[in-house]
Amino acid sequence: MVIEPPKSQYIQIADELRARIQGGTYPADAPLPSEQRPADELGVSRVTINKAITLLRASGDVKVRRGAGTYVRKLPKIPRDAKRRYAARALGTGAGEVEVRTLKLQSRTQYREIGRVNPPSAVARALGLSEGEETLVRRRVLFANDEPTQIADSYYPWSITEGCDALLQADAGRGGSYSRSAELGHGPVRFTEDVNVRVPDDAEQRLLDIEATLPVFDIWHVAYDAQNRPVEVCVHVMPGHLWTLHYDWDDETAEEETD
Amino acid sequence: MVIEPPKSQYIQIADELRARIQGGTYPADAPLPSEQRPADELGVSRVTINKAITLLRASGDVKVRRGAGTYVRKLPKIPRDAKRRYAARALGTGAGEVEVRTLKLQSRTQYREIGRVNPPSAVARALGLSEGEETLVRRRVLFANDEPTQIADSYYPWSITEGCDALLQADAGRGGSYSRSAELGHGPVRFTEDVNVRVPDDAEQRLLDIEATLPVFDIWHVAYDAQNRPVEVCVHVMPGHLWTLHYDWDDETAEEETD
């Protein structure tokens, strides 16, 4: 039997405040009550409430709006089902907005750049490009109810996408960019994702409107065509507190074992 | 074309120090030089070096050891390939130590608890248990070169595992606990993982020997048998800076598209 030491009081209070947020006592997008009120209700000092709120900031449950006070988070946790999101294009929807629409939130994509560029060296490596080979880049920020939910920068080998005008438009047409890749003879048949977590840099803090201490998921998504050639790298940077990543797979060794 | 504002000086310095760590100029597990030396070499103030080092602490690249100063991280980033790690048991290795051994690091598992318990309610839900149903729990901390790399708490429905003595031992035998589940007629054939990121709680900070500000991956791994019954939940808590998660899958819609 593991005996855990008792939780510090401010951690218990943070748990209680979090439960009130999840239960709707403190509704989404509304200001948090002054420290005095929960201090009175819970019979603890304002200092303890303050320490608990610092924890809630670190976990993304509340957010300080400059000059306006502390607000409850606006968005629920968004489930991101890797397999299903990329399968969605078969239904005519780009992968980018699937989850947000499922939650009946208002989805919006803001393109920052679409064009022909020299890719960062790590992208060139992931795409297996030769020295000096260029890429088509599509850089965007996605929003749910006007809150930024992710930065997504997609790179395609220019040699594949050259001449495809749709990929140079913000709206890449029915099924999104992967459907265009398929028409070019390089439709993705396999995906890989490498997931890291880190603190956001200056630009990411600004684009995602988050504090320096809020960790982000950093996902490198690579799409491969039937010849096993990498045809797209998409770098996703997503506030960690907004997302749950979901993966599922069949066990390839299962048959051997049950024989 | 996106014009990014120039990076703050201390961020550039942090990038440079990180490059020195990755390049081996500042070797793993060795003390970082005093602030004065890099300040002189890079022609910046000690204040700037200090701010840069704060960033390196937040990213887990260096660690303050109480009373001993600031040290370079001990371990390299560990790749965790979800499919391959669980397939490894076919070769006689438990999933737990696969990655660490691949990197030729010293692997060690410390069991905290093995026994029959009432599971937390979220675990009971994930296993589809009725009110009051018990579980077999196996709680452990894994180490690489004596540095904690993860907490892993596995829960199995007691009704399935009852009578299997091997599962009550630290060493569950060849192929690990999943091979025992297979012998009980509930071998896993499908897995799901839900990945969250958050700051560690007090107990996790202590067990993983990390600061409160270092984010952790919180992975709920669920194994299903051929009847689609959940037969294990394993909750992994892993320092985010130590791990890269890797997933890959075939695209189920690819055939429809290329037809």
Side-chain angles (χ1 to χ4, degrees):
Chain A
M1 181 64 200
V2 178
I3 309 296
E4 305 282 5
K7 284 188 182 180
S8 311
Q9 190 182 45
Y10 74 97
I11 295 176
Q12 295 176 40
I13 296 296
D15 289 346
E16 169 61 26
L17 297 178
R18 202 174 279 122
R20 288 181 178 198
I21 288 171
Q22 276 155 12
T25 309
Y26 300 156
D29 204 22
L32 211 61
S34 76
E35 286 171 11
Q36 195 58 59
R37 223 175 76 196
D40 290 345
E41 287 169 10
L42 299 166
V44 297
S45 72
R46 286 186 58 163
V47 174
T48 301
I49 297 290
N50 187 273
K51 280 181 79 175
I53 289 175
T54 302
L55 281 190
L56 296 185
R57 277 177 71 172
S59 59
D61 289 296
V62 304
K63 186 172 187 170
V64 174
R65 298 190 190 159
R66 266 178 214 168
T70 304
Y71 279 72
V72 176
R73 59 188 286 171
K74 205 168 177 172
L75 298 176
K77 198 104 170 165
I78 312 173
R80 177 187 186 273
D81 185 327
K83 264 191 192 172
R84 267 167 215 101
R85 82 189 302 267
Y86 293 102
R89 70 186 186 285
L91 310 170
T93 313
E97 306 193 342
V98 175
E99 301 93 354
V100 165
R101 289 191 186 169
T102 302
L103 291 181
K104 310 226 183 296
L105 303 171
Q106 192 68 35
S107 174
R108 181 163 65 84
T109 300
Q110 178 192 312
Y111 277 86
R112 304 173 60 218
E113 181 179 14
I114 302 178
R116 179 177 178 172
V117 298
N118 283 313
S121 57
V123 169
R125 264 198 308 280
L127 288 174
L129 301 184
S130 325
E131 181 73 29
E133 258 195 273
E134 289 180 307
T135 50
L136 167 68
V137 73
R138 296 171 64 86
R139 305 178 81 182
R140 53 208 186 275
V141 179
L142 278 73
F143 297 81
N145 289 5
D146 286 326
E147 186 105 339
T149 55
Q150 63 173 301
I151 302 166
D153 293 349
S154 288
Y155 298 86
Y156 308 80
W158 182 258
S159 58
I160 290 180
T161 55
E162 191 166 8
C164 176
D165 284 340
L167 284 173
L168 289 165
Q169 312 301 320
D171 180 353
R174 189 179 158 80
S177 58
Y178 283 159
S179 298
R180 299 298 81 69
S181 299
E183 291 158 8
L184 293 164
H186 295 279
V189 302
R190 188 170 73 85
F191 299 113
T192 64
E193 292 195 344
D194 285 279
V195 183
N196 285 285
V197 62
R198 57 178 176 76
V199 289
D201 67 25
D202 281 7
E204 292 160 349
Q205 287 167 44
R206 209 177 46 249
L207 287 170
L208 296 172
D209 189 23
I210 53 175
E211 294 184 65
T213 51
L214 265 192
V216 291
F217 282 123
D218 171 317
I219 306 181
W220 279 58
H221 173 90
V222 184
Y224 296 83
D225 70 8
Q227 285 72 48
N228 209 27
R229 173 173 177 181
V231 291
E232 185 221 21
V233 169
C234 186
V235 183
H236 300 267
V237 179
M238 304 158 57
H241 68 285
L242 284 184
W243 293 92
T244 298
L245 312 183
H246 178 85
Y247 297 93
D248 60 90
W249 66 97
D250 293 329
D251 179 27
E252 287 159 2
T253 65
E255 258 176 291
E256 302 160 43
E257 265 189 302
T258 50
D259 272 355
Chain B
M1 179 66 202
V2 179
I3 310 296
E4 305 282 6
K7 283 187 181 181
S8 311
Q9 192 182 44
Y10 73 98
I11 296 176
Q12 295 177 40
I13 297 295
D15 288 346
E16 169 61 26
L17 297 178
R18 201 174 279 123
R20 289 181 176 197
I21 290 171
Q22 276 155 12
T25 308
Y26 300 155
D29 204 21
L32 211 61
S34 76
E35 286 171 11
Q36 194 59 60
R37 223 175 77 196
D40 291 344
E41 288 168 9
L42 298 167
V44 297
S45 71
R46 286 186 58 164
V47 174
T48 301
I49 298 290
N50 188 274
K51 280 182 78 175
I53 290 175
T54 303
L55 280 190
L56 297 184
R57 277 178 73 173
S59 58
D61 289 297
V62 304
K63 186 172 185 168
V64 174
R65 298 190 189 159
R66 267 180 213 167
T70 304
Y71 279 73
V72 176
R73 59 189 285 170
K74 206 168 176 172
L75 297 176
K77 198 102 169 167
I78 311 172
R80 176 187 187 273
D81 184 329
K83 265 192 191 172
R84 266 165 217 102
R85 81 189 306 265
Y86 294 101
R89 69 186 188 284
L91 310 170
T93 314
E97 306 193 342
V98 174
E99 301 94 354
V100 166
R101 288 189 185 170
T102 302
L103 291 181
K104 310 228 183 296
L105 302 171
Q106 192 68 36
S107 174
R108 180 163 65 84
T109 300
Q110 178 191 313
Y111 277 86
R112 305 172 60 219
E113 181 179 15
I114 302 178
R116 180 177 178 171
V117 298
N118 283 314
S121 57
V123 169
R125 264 198 309 281
L127 288 174
L129 301 183
S130 326
E131 181 74 30
E133 259 197 271
E134 289 180 308
T135 51
L136 168 67
V137 73
R138 296 171 64 87
R139 305 177 80 183
R140 55 209 186 273
V141 179
L142 279 74
F143 297 82
N145 289 6
D146 286 327
E147 185 105 340
T149 55
Q150 63 173 301
I151 302 166
D153 294 349
S154 288
Y155 297 86
Y156 308 80
W158 182 257
S159 58
I160 289 181
T161 54
E162 191 167 10
C164 176
D165 285 339
L167 283 173
L168 289 166
Q169 312 301 320
D171 180 353
R174 188 179 158 81
S177 58
Y178 283 159
S179 299
R180 299 298 81 68
S181 298
E183 291 158 8
L184 293 164
H186 295 279
V189 301
R190 188 170 73 85
F191 299 114
T192 64
E193 292 195 344
D194 285 280
V195 182
N196 285 285
V197 61
R198 57 177 176 77
V199 290
D201 67 24
D202 280 9
E204 292 161 349
Q205 287 168 44
R206 209 176 47 249
L207 286 170
L208 297 172
D209 188 22
I210 54 175
E211 294 184 63
T213 51
L214 266 192
V216 292
F217 282 121
D218 172 316
I219 305 180
W220 279 58
H221 173 89
V222 184
Y224 295 83
D225 72 8
Q227 285 72 49
N228 209 27
R229 173 173 176 181
V231 291
E232 184 221 21
V233 169
C234 186
V235 183
H236 299 267
V237 179
M238 304 158 57
H241 69 285
L242 284 185
W243 293 92
T244 298
L245 312 182
H246 178 85
Y247 297 93
D248 61 90
W249 67 97
D250 293 329
D251 179 27
E252 286 159 2
T253 65
E255 257 176 291
E256 301 161 44
E257 265 190 302
T258 50
D259 272 354

